[in-house]
Amino acid sequence: MASLLTVGAKSLSLLRLPTHNLPPFASRLQIRSMAHSSSAFNKIQIQRDDTTFDAYVVGKDDAPGIVVLQEWWGVDFEIKNHALKISQLGSGYKALIPDLYRGKVGLNVAEAQHLMDGLDWQGAVKDIRASVNWLKANGSQKVGVTGYCMGGALSIASAVLVPEVDAVVAFYGVPSPELADPAKAKKPLQAHFGELDSFVGFSDVTAAKSLEEKLKTSGVPSEVHIYPGRGHAFMNTSPEGIQRRREMGLTDEDEVIVEQAWSHFNTWMSRYLSS
């Protein structure tokens, strides 16, 4: 089932994430404002073109930077968990989360779908570029991009469309061909997928293997990891994240696999972001 997003004058076709086997939600859509930031994060504002957006930063000022891109939920507890974890990996990173939804967060699948459907994807790429440049202007000599689900797709797009990026790690998401063709990636790119991911054409095994072939065509250094027995969003391991996955019918949990993925992530970013 496809939905159409209008980006400027051009329609961008995006697969809707499937909502079968999910609990029912109220028909009236309510978008709540984002909760107060964790005290570990410094809230900043970044200017790009004629707009300003909030971002959340954690980590050492002079460390390599990593832009961390949200799932379709928005800037919520789980993406902050990921950014905090990233800031503490290896010798440390400076992690920055741009608020692509401008303060809105989906608290259930219907809300998240609505927010993702309304996203200006090309505008989001501009936000990513502005975030990368902010990090480079504020102490980070090299900057990577990572993201999850929707953010994973945008991460891959940044490897194609954002020249200032130095390396990318994407989790379970591939951009539509109208947004970015991975065969044209210009930056080292590592990607992670679950073997049992059922989001056809977006993050299932077929999409992962297609991405792998396109990256070979691109000629950039690349790795695609497919984890056996794992479904979508397998990196979400907080109690709240596990509960939300269970409500979506995703019951696979494996801390060993998650730590393996983090190890691959850190090895990749350390290789390409070291000065």
Side-chain angles (χ1 to χ4, degrees), residues 168 182 185 187-191 211-225 268 271-272:
V168 168
K187 305 295 178 177
L189 197 158
Q190 183 187 79
L211 172 67
E212 187 171 30
E213 292 306 311
K214 289 181 179 180
L215 290 175
K216 289 177 183 177
T217 301
S218 76
V220 299
S222 63
E223 294 178 357
V224 175
H225 299 275
W268 193 260
R271 181 183 304 161
Y272 293 105

Side-chain angles (χ1 to χ4, degrees), residues 128-150:
I128 297 166
R129 186 175 188 182
S131 299
V132 169
N133 287 332
W134 187 93
L135 284 166
K136 290 199 169 185
N138 287 273
S140 298
Q141 294 186 31
K142 293 187 177 181
V143 176
V145 174
T146 192
Y148 307 80
C149 184
M150 182 186 84

Side-chain angles (χ1 to χ4, degrees), residues 102-177:
R102 304 298 191 262
K104 295 176 180 178
V105 175
L107 298 186
N108 59 44
V109 168
E111 293 178 1
Q113 183 75 63
H114 175 79
L115 287 167
M116 188 178 76
D117 283 353
L119 181 67
D120 174 355
W121 288 73
Q122 291 184 359
V125 172
K126 292 180 180 179
D127 287 353
I128 297 166
R129 186 175 188 182
S131 299
V132 169
N133 287 332
W134 187 93
L135 284 166
K136 290 199 169 185
N138 287 273
S140 298
Q141 294 186 31
K142 293 187 177 181
V143 176
V145 174
T146 192
Y148 307 80
C149 184
M150 182 186 84
L154 284 165
S155 297
I156 293 172
S158 74
V160 179
L161 301 171
V162 181
E164 295 86 353
V165 170
D166 294 295
V168 168
V169 177
F171 290 88
Y172 30 80
V174 177
S176 69

Side-chain angles (χ1 to χ4, degrees), residues 67-87:
V67 177
V68 184
L69 303 175
Q70 67 200 50
E71 297 175 285
W72 66 338
W73 307 105
V75 181
D76 68 351
F77 62 90
E78 201 65 86
I79 200 63
K80 289 181 179 178
N81 290 339
H82 291 326
L84 189 59
K85 170 81 172 182
I86 288 167
S87 73

Side-chain angles (χ1 to χ4, degrees), residues 2 21 29 42 52 66-68 74-75 101 106 108 110 118 154 165 183 196 208 230-231 233 253 267 270:
N21 298 325
L29 184 68
N42 180 32
T52 301
I66 298 181
V67 177
V68 184
V75 181
Y101 285 168
N108 59 44
L154 284 165
V165 170
L196 302 183
R230 301 303 98 203
E253 298 166 27
T267 297
S270 296

Side-chain angles (χ1 to χ4, degrees), residues 14-52:
L14 248 191
L15 290 173
R16 291 175 70 90
L17 299 189
T19 55
H20 57 280
N21 298 325
L22 301 182
F25 297 105
S27 59
R28 185 169 69 90
L29 184 68
Q30 296 179 340
I31 304 297
R32 284 80 166 182
S33 295
M34 190 174 65
H36 292 298
S37 302
S38 164
S39 59
F41 290 83
N42 180 32
K43 182 179 179 181
I44 64 169
Q45 288 195 320
I46 297 177
Q47 179 79 31
R48 65 100 171 151
D49 299 332
D50 58 350
T51 189
T52 301

Side-chain angles (χ1 to χ4, degrees), residues 189-201:
L189 197 158
Q190 183 187 79
H192 301 262
F193 297 87
E195 178 192 33
L196 302 183
D197 196 318
S198 61
F199 293 170
V200 177

